[in-house]
């Protein structure tokens, strides 16, 4: 138990390196090419270390109903400032659809009702936020692996990108929209789900309604909310800032393993 605790602290520490630099105001340091290179190496080491020690399919710890947190804070946006999203919300998301495309054999647009009709998984896990807080919640949703299998990935696909309805930072070039990405190892992990329920109820807006990603072996900023589109791609370099996620484009590590 002591060894696992020490390993977990090491992995969290290495994951937070760039985040801590950014939050402490060391923007110039984070922006330097030399620092970016060093952090990229550290990030790769963190991912390889975790997967070597745990294996690709090792499960994050799951808890019982008695462990549910009485208060579960919302991370990131709590109400998207987006006319399209507000319209979906006013209609109880009955007109919302998830678009699945990119390098897939059978592109699809799926309603919330259609997603709920597919096989589901329920898991009680701990959410660890980069800001230093944690909470335990019960999530129910569609395993991402099942969705990807239903649309069929093309051989070139290497990453899954999640596009969201929240414009986290206003920008003229569109780079302020929240997005995230994971590789196929995490995409097919049994605990990676597209969650539409939290603690036995439909997701509240603050927690990402109608659909959010849960990739339980990574930190909170990877758990993209307000999903609108999933895209299978061969490379992340041409998407927004090219680093695989909103916060990653601003200096955070792409692999935020815990």
């Amino acid at each position: 138990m002591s060894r696992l605790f020490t390993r977990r602290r090491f992995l969290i520490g290495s994951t937070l390196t760039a985040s801590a630099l950014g939050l402490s105001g060391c923007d110039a340091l984070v922006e330097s090419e030399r620092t970016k290179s060093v952090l990229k190496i550290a990030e790769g080491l963190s991912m390889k270390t975790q997967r070597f020690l745990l294996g690709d399919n090792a499960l994050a710890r799951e808890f019982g109903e008695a462990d549910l947190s009485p208060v579960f804070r919302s991370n990131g946006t709590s109400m998207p400032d987006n006319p399209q999203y507000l319209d979906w919300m006013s209609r109880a998301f009955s007109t919302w659809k998830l678009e699945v495309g990119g390098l897939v054999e059978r592109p699809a647009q799926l309603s919330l009702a259609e997603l709920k009709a597919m096989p589901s998984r329920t898991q009680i896990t701990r959410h660890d936020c980069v800001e230093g807080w944690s909470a335990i919640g019960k999530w129910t949703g569609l395993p991402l692996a099942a969705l990807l299998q239903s649309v069929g990935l093309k051989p070139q696909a290497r990453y899954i990108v999640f596009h969201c309805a929240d414009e986290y930072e206003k920008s003229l070039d569109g780079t302020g929209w929240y997005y995230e990405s994971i590789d196929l190892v995490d995409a097919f992990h049994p605990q990676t789900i597209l969650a539409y329920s939290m603690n036995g109820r439909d997701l509240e807006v603050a927690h990402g309604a109608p659909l959010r990603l849960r990739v339980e072996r990574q930190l909170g900023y990877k758990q993209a909310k307000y999903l609108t589109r999933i895209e299978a791609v061969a490379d992340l370099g041409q998407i927004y800032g090219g680093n695989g996620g909103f916060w990653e484009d601003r200096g955070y590590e792409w692999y935020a393993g815990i």
Side-chain angles (χ1 to χ4, degrees):
M1 187 69 169
S2 175
R3 182 176 68 84
L4 289 175
F5 178 73
T6 302
R7 178 192 56 75
R8 183 175 182 275
R9 291 195 61 179
F10 164 74
L11 291 170
I12 290 176
S14 62
T15 299
L16 294 180
T17 302
S19 307
L21 287 171
L23 292 174
S24 64
C26 300
D27 294 336
L29 180 59
V30 172
E31 288 301 316
S32 78
E33 292 305 316
R34 184 174 182 180
T35 300
K36 288 180 181 179
S37 177
V38 171
L39 292 175
K40 199 72 175 177
I41 293 171
E43 177 189 348
L45 176 62
S46 173
M47 181 173 69
K48 289 178 181 178
T49 300
Q50 178 170 5
R51 288 181 174 172
F52 173 76
L53 291 173
L54 296 179
D56 289 348
N57 292 314
L59 300 180
R61 181 182 176 187
E62 296 193 14
F63 298 82
E65 297 272 354
D67 300 309
L68 291 174
S69 297
V71 176
F72 197 118
R73 295 166 56 182
S74 65
N75 62 309
T77 303
S78 59
M79 172 63 77
D81 181 16
N82 175 350
Q84 177 66 80
Y85 182 84
L86 296 176
D87 182 67
W88 286 329
M89 185 176 68
S90 72
R91 302 170 191 271
F93 300 105
S94 61
T95 58
W96 170 93
K97 288 192 175 183
L98 178 70
E99 181 181 342
V100 186
L103 296 174
V104 301
E105 300 290 351
R106 297 173 292 278
Q109 290 189 340
L110 300 165
S111 69
L112 186 57
E114 288 172 320
L115 292 171
K116 288 183 174 182
M118 299 176 75
S120 67
R121 175 185 171 91
T122 297
Q123 56 203 31
I124 300 177
T125 54
R126 184 177 62 208
H127 178 103
D128 290 309
C129 182
V130 71
E131 295 176 343
W133 58 269
S134 297
I136 294 173
K138 178 181 178 180
W139 308 95
T140 298
L142 165 66
L144 179 58
L147 177 61
L148 297 178
Q149 287 164 352
S150 72
V151 297
L153 289 180
K154 292 185 177 180
Q156 312 96 297
R158 294 181 58 209
Y159 303 97
I160 306 300
V161 181
F162 304 87
H163 299 272
C164 307
D166 55 327
E167 190 175 12
Y168 200 82
E169 182 180 278
K170 297 296 182 181
S171 63
L172 296 176
D173 60 1
T175 58
W177 291 96
Y178 204 92
Y179 79 106
E180 260 303 341
S181 64
I182 55 177
D183 64 12
L184 297 187
V185 171
D186 278 323
F188 283 90
H189 187 273
Q191 288 175 315
T192 299
I193 66 173
L194 302 177
Y196 44 72
S197 171
M198 177 183 177
N199 294 342
R201 301 182 298 274
D202 285 348
L203 280 179
E204 297 176 359
V205 169
H207 290 292
L211 194 71
R212 73 175 295 168
L213 174 67
R214 294 301 306 177
V215 51
E216 302 295 355
R217 300 194 301 177
Q218 298 203 45
L219 288 169
Y221 65 86
K222 299 294 291 188
Q223 325 294 328
K225 304 195 296 185
Y226 315 114
L227 297 182
T228 59
R229 181 162 60 96
I230 294 177
E231 180 183 14
V233 302
D235 179 72
L236 299 172
Q238 303 304 311
I239 302 173
Y240 295 115
N243 296 294
F246 175 88
W247 285 115
E248 291 87 330
D249 288 341
R250 290 154 178 79
Y252 282 43
E253 279 89 348
W254 174 76
Y255 186 75
I258 52 176

